Amino acid sequence: MQAVPAGAHHSGAAGEPEVMQPSPKGTGKVGKKGSSKKRTVARSPVEGLLQPVKLSPAELYKEPTSEELNRLRETESLFHSSLLRLQVEELLKGVRLPEKKKERIDAFLREVNQRVMQVPSTLETEVKQLTDQAWLPTGVRVPLHQVPYTVKGCFHFLPPAQVTVVGSYLLGTCIRPDVNVDMALIMPREILQDKDGLNQRYFRKRALYLAHLAHHLAQDPVFGSVRFSYTNGCHLKPSLLLRPHGKDERLVTVRLHPCPPPDFFRLCRLLPSKNNVRSAWYRGQSPPGDGSPELPTPHYNTWVLQDTALESHVQLLSTMLGSALGLKDGVVLLKIWLRQRELDKGLGGFSGFLVSMLVAFLVSTHEIHTTMSGYQVLRSVLQFLATTDLTVHGISLCLSSDSSLPAVADFHQAFSVVFLDPSGRLNLCADVTASTYHQVQHEAQLSMALLDSKADDVFQLLLMTPKPMIRTFDHVLHLHPLSRLQAACHRLKLWPELQDHGGDYVAAALGPLTTLLEQGLESRIHLLAHSRPPVSEWDISQDPPKHRDSGALTLGFLLQPEGLTSVLELGPEADQPKASDFRQFWGSRSELRRFQDGAIREAVVWEAASMAQKRLIPHQVVTHLLALHADIPGTCVHYMGGLLDALIQGLKETSSTGEEALAAAVRCYDDLSRLLWGLEGLPLTVSAVQGAHPVLRYTEVFPPTPVRPAYSFYEHLRERASLLPRTDKPCPAYVEPMTVICHLEGSGQWPQDAEAIRRVRAAFQLRLAELLTQQHGLQCRASAMHTDVLKDGFVFRIRVAYQREPQILREMRSPEGMISLRDTPASLCLEKDTRQLPLLTSALHGLQQQHPAFSGVARLAKRWVRAQLLGDGFTDESLDLVAAALFLHPEPFTPPSSPQVGFLRFLFLVSTFDWKNNPLIVNLNNEFTGSGTGV
């Protein structure tokens, strides 16, 4: 979803000063005060456009004030340009809540507080066991999967001891369009018991508390919507969503979070090394009789701790951010940055709360100062994320030297990412997986490179361009149905993880599965990321959604072109200890092979004959490893890596997408170039041979196939030295000629007249055909403009070019004998054909050598444009340049490594780029420079 309203960055926002219009022409007086407004409206030349402000000379040349000078100095030192500063300021205005909306939200929050405190309590004589839920009304269901159902403990309802607003709304870092306000409901001590931290008792009471609230609040006419949802995707922690009634329904969503009193639980019992879910209760099995202790439940303990620390975290952030508007602006910008990259949603997301705490940490370590601007805070946090790996070196807000507190290393044993809160007991990044953090780190590195590049469109690329997974990653796969992950947990023996995550088999299997695939795709991928399906809210009369009903688990692969197409996985030598681990990891695909150096090693060889199949080797790897180690069949792996390959396959090709045919044509062209360079007998030597055809820059949609005529299908015409197709045979195949420009060296013998030059060129074309036939036995047909050469089944159309001919065509002689240079249609066409197209072909040929996916992207783009019947408006060269822009200027992405993702980015670029007002500059060979001295 877009992070900000569509018009947030446009000019003309509310609150701008009114612009006065100039007086009508011919009048030297300003109209009366009462009629000036009418004249302004009537004389407005273009409705809705701002007109220039008229300033008096005194105002125009007035010296800048000290405030203006300070602002200019600040802009120069902190921002790349004044434009970036204005864009950031307009964005912040667009996402902040207006005061009128704040007042309406505050009024609704007071209504919520009043209604919640008025919910009637149950009598103490009606204290029920947790398993006795007959007292619940029929119109409401418990928003929790109670598995196993049997659990100890009693429950009755009492109004909350305290209702507190927590979260970003209170801190002033809440952003539009989705405004959420979190309210913590402190449950009374009377309804809690000492051992509620064990075996989900606290979470069961929490869910029952919400169910009772939901039943009564749903009957209140103040609320237009009362629904359940999961807190940050955690299925053990539902929350109650309240929305206003009537026209304000979309104004705000209030989320109610029941919490225990801050000092109710013994914090030493909630450390990551402790167990609070007994195996005998959860699995119905007693722990082994060998005296081994219960395995710890760090995630379960963290979820309990999170509820106890809500209020303390708000107090910390309020103290740190305080009245520092720059820090709050930085948090807002970081939230937008995360939202555009879809990194802040669901269980394990890098949420806005984590970013706020990270800003507080950097303030405490003096890496961020409270006087910094929002842009400076954004840069500082991105720089920290880009250079700090919290999966290896965790950080902590705790300043206490208490020896009873666990060390950061202890948290690393239980969690992938470590960021401790001020208590030293709660890991704020407990649910963040290593893959998610590495994705955040990768995005921060790209963003810092973009900021340092000082490009003109930094703001648009950094904060306004969405990066969904389908356009960010080269290959994407969906695991569906999710119920297969339950079998994967059994196969991988993840019973402790299931017990820790309360039965969430998706979260339990996610870490081991990503580790498995990273090991198998080690040399082929740069980054592996995942996206859990978001769990939508549900009605209070419905059961909570099950894990298998939430959609599909999505994995994204950012490929490494260097190792992607290798068909060999080389293992250790057969006599090394690691050989058995290699065989166990790859299973039946591993085999012993002898190599040319005499070594006998374990190896895995993948079946791939064409380049298209080699690009899809990760599909084979993923399918094999998931079936072998996780019991996930190939029918559950929906892989999207080559779905569009069929569109650029020839009629007779079933596995190749044409790269091999293009490479064969280019090799034939290289051979012909060497023959032309070595020709003997030409009056002038060849100075350059350059291709000027889409085949020679790898962008022809369907490359020509070599054709060798069957002479029985033709009659031989001796007088014309040619073949005539016979009427009783099939029509001969058409072979498209590939244009080659052959430049000859300069000489004073060239004439200076355009017609004479054409005649000399025609003579060279004839001589060229004779020499190629005599010296190399090639079939040639010469004409005045070109020479067609048949070589290895391909037809090359060689055009002799003289470098000064375009200039001679520009020369215009006046009646007085003066010569002037003026572009003519003939000179422009000749310069394009003999200079510009060869240079473009050479540059794109080099681009293809650097990025093998360029060919597929350009060909898919042309295929789509032609299919939409847009061929008259787009030339081959223009489409090739647009495709090249995706590789030369991929920001905020990385260059595509598969045709599919490149084509999707092409569609996005074509549909969103402002073609009317901005040029698309493709910087081939870095010829354009920022100093304006480029070509």
Side-chain angles (χ1 to χ4, degrees):
M1 180 179 291
Q2 193 77 8
V4 296
H9 61 287
H10 294 299
S11 60
E16 290 185 348
E18 183 180 352
V19 179
M20 298 299 294
Q21 304 294 334
S23 60
K25 187 176 180 181
T27 62
K29 301 179 181 179
V30 179
K32 293 181 180 179
K33 185 175 182 181
S35 61
S36 62
K37 186 174 182 181
K38 293 183 180 179
R39 182 178 293 110
T40 300
V41 175
R43 291 290 182 176
S44 179
V46 181
E47 188 67 30
L49 291 184
L50 296 176
Q51 298 300 311
V53 181
K54 274 199 167 184
L55 299 175
S56 64
E59 292 175 327
L60 187 62
Y61 296 103
K62 184 175 64 174
E63 292 184 1
T65 63
S66 59
E67 182 180 350
E68 291 172 338
L69 288 174
N70 288 334
R71 183 177 176 86
L72 289 173
R73 280 194 294 266
E74 184 179 315
T75 300
E76 183 180 359
S77 59
L78 305 183
F79 293 84
H80 294 161
S81 64
S82 298
L83 176 61
L84 177 59
R85 178 170 192 155
L86 291 173
Q87 288 172 323
V88 170
E89 290 176 352
E90 286 298 314
L91 174 62
L92 292 172
K93 290 179 184 177
V95 298
R96 283 199 188 103
L97 284 173
E99 287 299 325
K100 290 184 178 180
K101 284 193 175 182
K102 281 186 179 181
E103 293 174 0
R104 289 155 57 193
I105 291 175
D106 291 340
F108 181 66
L109 293 179
R110 288 191 290 269
E111 292 281 351
V112 172
N113 191 351
Q114 181 182 356
R115 297 305 197 277
V116 168
M117 297 301 292
Q118 291 176 352
V119 172
S121 60
T122 58
L123 299 177
E124 293 186 7
T125 57
E126 297 181 1
V127 175
K128 303 290 186 181
Q129 295 292 323
L130 288 177
T131 54
D132 181 9
Q133 299 173 6
W135 59 273
L136 279 174
T138 55
V140 65
R141 306 300 295 268
V142 180
L144 185 72
H145 292 295
Q146 303 179 73
V147 180
Y149 185 75
T150 303
V151 66
K152 296 180 180 180
C154 301
F155 176 78
H156 67 283
F157 181 85
L158 291 175
Q162 184 181 349
V163 179
T164 308
V165 176
V166 295
S168 58
Y169 180 77
L170 191 64
L171 299 170
T173 59
C174 184
I175 62 175
R176 293 189 291 174
D178 299 324
V179 180
N180 298 303
V181 179
D182 296 303
M183 298 185 74
L185 312 182
I186 308 299
M187 294 187 291
R189 291 177 178 270
E190 292 80 3
I191 67 173
L192 299 175
Q193 296 170 296
D194 291 339
K195 294 188 177 181
D196 279 350
L198 290 175
N199 299 340
Q200 300 182 12
R201 297 181 196 177
Y202 162 70
F203 294 115
R204 302 287 175 93
K205 289 186 177 182
R206 191 179 182 279
L208 291 172
Y209 199 87
L210 282 178
H212 186 84
L213 278 173
H215 170 67
H216 288 277
L217 296 180
Q219 302 172 10
D220 197 315
V222 172
F223 305 113
S225 171
V226 179
R227 299 172 68 84
F228 287 128
S229 178
Y230 287 145
T231 303
N232 295 327
C234 178
H235 72 291
L236 288 180
K237 297 174 63 175
S239 57
L240 188 62
L241 308 185
L242 305 177
R243 295 185 178 92
H245 180 73
K247 63 179 182 180
D248 285 342
E249 183 177 0
R250 296 186 178 181
L251 175 67
V252 64
T253 300
V254 177
R255 301 185 292 201
L256 303 184
H257 305 276
C259 301
D263 56 348
F264 177 77
F265 290 107
R266 293 177 58 196
L267 298 182
C268 62
R269 289 295 310 158
L270 296 174
L271 295 178
S273 59
K274 300 297 182 179
N275 174 278
N276 284 293
V277 181
R278 304 294 189 250
S279 300
W281 172 79
Y282 182 77
R283 299 171 55 185
Q285 300 177 2
S286 300
D290 55 2
S292 58
E294 292 270 6
L295 293 175
T297 53
H299 289 88
Y300 176 92
N301 301 346
T302 297
W303 294 334
V304 177
L305 275 174
Q306 287 171 349
D307 283 0
T308 65
L310 275 179
E311 199 169 348
S312 63
H313 289 163
V314 172
Q315 292 174 357
L316 169 71
L317 292 176
S318 180
T319 302
M320 287 290 188
L321 303 182
S323 58
L325 185 59
L327 298 184
K328 295 179 180 179
D329 289 346
V331 171
V332 169
L333 293 175
L334 286 164
K335 285 185 176 182
I336 297 173
W337 182 81
L338 288 170
R339 185 170 296 183
Q340 294 289 36
R341 286 150 182 78
E342 299 182 351
L343 294 170
D344 61 337
K345 298 298 183 184
L347 183 66
F350 207 84
S351 63
F353 167 70
L354 285 179
V355 163
S356 303
M357 296 297 284
L358 187 57
V359 170
F361 170 78
L362 294 178
V363 170
S364 67
T365 57
H366 307 292
E367 295 184 43
I368 290 180
H369 196 268
T370 54
T371 59
M372 285 185 174
S373 66
Y375 174 76
Q376 284 180 296
V377 173
L378 174 68
R379 277 193 66 107
S380 300
V381 174
L382 292 181
Q383 178 68 24
F384 177 83
L385 289 172
T387 56
T388 308
D389 191 353
L390 298 185
T391 63
V392 180
H393 304 289
I395 56 177
S396 176
L397 277 164
C398 180
L399 302 177
S400 174
S401 58
D402 188 354
S403 60
S404 63
L405 292 175
V408 174
D410 298 331
F411 284 91
H412 276 295
Q413 295 178 2
F415 303 105
S416 300
V417 187
V418 176
F419 177 19
L420 303 185
D421 78 335
S423 70
R425 294 181 173 88
L426 172 60
N427 181 17
L428 301 173
C429 292
D431 295 324
V432 180
T433 63
S435 298
T436 298
Y437 184 78
H438 288 150
Q439 184 183 1
V440 172
Q441 196 174 29
H442 170 74
E443 293 291 348
Q445 291 168 356
L446 292 180
S447 299
M448 285 305 300
L450 180 61
L451 289 172
D452 293 338
S453 68
K454 298 186 179 180
D456 293 335
D457 52 353
V458 166
F459 172 79
Q460 185 72 26
L461 297 175
L462 186 68
L463 296 172
M464 301 301 293
T465 303
K467 294 188 64 175
M469 182 168 278
I470 193 66
R471 281 203 309 271
T472 301
F473 293 93
D474 299 305
H475 287 180
V476 175
L477 71 88
H478 303 291
L479 291 179
H480 182 77
L482 286 178
S483 56
R484 291 302 308 183
L485 293 180
Q486 207 164 5
C489 290
H490 288 269
R491 183 65 175 270
L492 295 169
K493 299 179 180 179
L494 301 177
W495 291 111
E497 287 79 2
L498 277 173
Q499 190 170 320
D500 185 22
H501 288 87
D504 185 356
Y505 48 81
V506 179
L510 189 55
L513 285 184
T514 53
T515 302
L516 174 73
L517 297 181
E518 284 174 346
Q519 184 179 350
L521 298 169
E522 181 180 6
S523 61
R524 303 180 191 274
I525 63 171
H526 175 68
L527 180 70
L528 185 153
H530 59 78
S531 175
R532 288 194 60 174
V535 181
S536 58
E537 57 191 51
W538 67 95
D539 193 77
I540 63 173
S541 61
Q542 298 175 341
D543 288 324
K546 298 181 179 179
H547 301 299
R548 64 171 179 266
D549 299 331
S550 57
L553 175 64
T554 304
L555 301 178
F557 303 130
L558 203 60
L559 303 177
Q560 283 193 15
E562 298 81 10
L564 174 62
T565 56
S566 173
V567 298
L568 180 66
E569 301 284 350
L570 191 60
E573 295 185 0
D575 56 350
Q576 291 185 357
K578 293 183 179 180
S580 60
D581 296 336
F582 186 87
R583 287 191 297 269
Q584 183 179 4
F585 182 78
W586 291 106
S588 59
R589 296 302 300 249
S590 178
E591 57 186 16
L592 279 177
R593 285 183 170 254
R594 182 187 295 273
F595 293 89
Q596 292 182 350
D597 60 355
I600 300 177
R601 308 172 71 103
E602 294 284 348
V604 176
V605 180
W606 305 103
E607 298 81 8
S610 64
M611 184 60 68
Q613 291 177 331
K614 291 178 180 178
R615 279 197 299 267
L616 291 177
I617 287 179
H619 185 194
Q620 299 184 49
V621 176
V622 168
T623 305
H624 173 70
L625 291 179
L626 290 180
L628 176 64
H629 294 285
D631 199 20
I632 299 177
T635 54
C636 298
V637 180
H638 306 274
Y639 200 91
M640 294 191 298
L643 296 181
L644 303 177
D645 286 354
L647 298 177
I648 51 177
Q649 288 177 351
L651 295 177
K652 298 181 180 180
E653 296 175 341
T654 57
S655 61
S656 173
T657 52
E659 285 94 340
E660 290 76 18
L662 288 168
V666 172
R667 284 195 300 270
C668 186
Y669 157 74
D670 291 338
D671 292 340
L672 179 62
S673 299
R674 284 190 286 270
L675 298 181
L676 291 173
W677 280 98
L679 278 180
E680 298 178 357
L682 276 176
L684 295 175
T685 60
V686 175
S687 61
V689 179
Q690 295 176 307
H693 192 271
V695 171
L696 305 180
R697 52 181 183 262
Y698 297 91
T699 61
E700 183 69 18
V701 178
F702 298 111
T705 55
V707 175
R708 293 173 176 79
Y711 292 100
S712 60
F713 284 30
Y714 302 87
E715 295 179 0
H716 189 250
L717 300 181
R718 293 180 179 275
E719 64 278 6
R720 298 188 62 183
S722 60
L723 301 175
L724 178 67
R726 296 176 56 179
T727 58
D728 58 337
K729 295 294 183 180
C731 178
Y734 168 72
V735 183
E736 182 180 359
M738 291 176 278
T739 305
V740 177
I741 307 299
C742 182
H743 292 272
L744 299 178
E745 65 176 344
S747 170
Q749 301 298 318
W750 280 96
Q752 300 302 309
D753 179 70
E755 181 61 27
I757 290 176
R758 281 195 288 270
R759 294 178 180 274
V760 172
R761 277 199 294 106
F764 272 110
Q765 299 285 174
L766 295 172
R767 183 60 176 162
L768 199 62
E770 293 176 5
L771 294 177
L772 287 173
T773 302
Q774 294 172 4
Q775 298 180 17
H776 302 289
L778 298 177
Q779 297 184 28
C780 303
R781 175 56 56 89
S783 68
M785 297 300 296
H786 57 261
T787 299
D788 287 341
V789 179
L790 177 64
K791 185 179 187 306
D792 299 336
F794 296 103
V795 176
F796 295 92
R797 178 159 290 174
I798 303 176
R799 291 186 57 180
V800 173
Y802 172 46
Q803 60 182 358
R804 292 196 70 252
E805 185 175 3
Q807 182 177 356
I808 292 174
L809 289 176
R810 291 193 191 99
E811 293 179 354
M812 308 295 291
R813 188 178 297 273
S814 66
E816 294 80 11
M818 299 294 292
I819 296 177
S820 61
L821 298 179
R822 183 179 302 169
D823 287 331
T824 63
S827 67
L828 293 174
C829 182
L830 184 62
E831 185 169 14
K832 173 188 173 185
D833 293 340
T834 61
R835 289 185 183 178
Q836 296 173 354
L837 275 182
L839 288 175
L840 175 65
T841 302
S842 176
L844 295 184
H845 182 280
L847 183 64
Q848 168 67 21
Q849 306 306 312
Q850 298 176 21
H851 304 285
F854 167 72
S855 171
V857 174
R859 293 162 63 208
L860 281 173
K862 290 183 180 180
R863 185 83 163 84
W864 179 81
V865 169
R866 304 295 184 254
Q868 309 306 316
L869 304 181
L870 300 174
D872 292 339
F874 297 93
T875 63
D876 275 357
E877 294 77 21
S878 65
L879 292 173
D880 290 345
L881 285 171
V882 174
L886 301 172
F887 293 85
L888 295 171
H889 315 290
E891 298 84 4
F893 304 97
T894 54
S897 293
S898 73
Q900 176 178 283
V901 71
F903 175 67
L904 293 177
R905 293 181 195 172
F906 167 81
L907 294 180
F908 181 76
L909 174 65
V910 171
S911 62
T912 59
F913 190 80
D914 188 4
W915 300 99
K916 184 177 181 180
N917 298 315
N918 295 319
L920 179 65
I921 299 176
V922 184
N923 194 2
L924 293 170
N925 299 325
N926 293 320
E927 294 177 347
F928 295 103
T929 61
S931 60
T933 58
V935 180

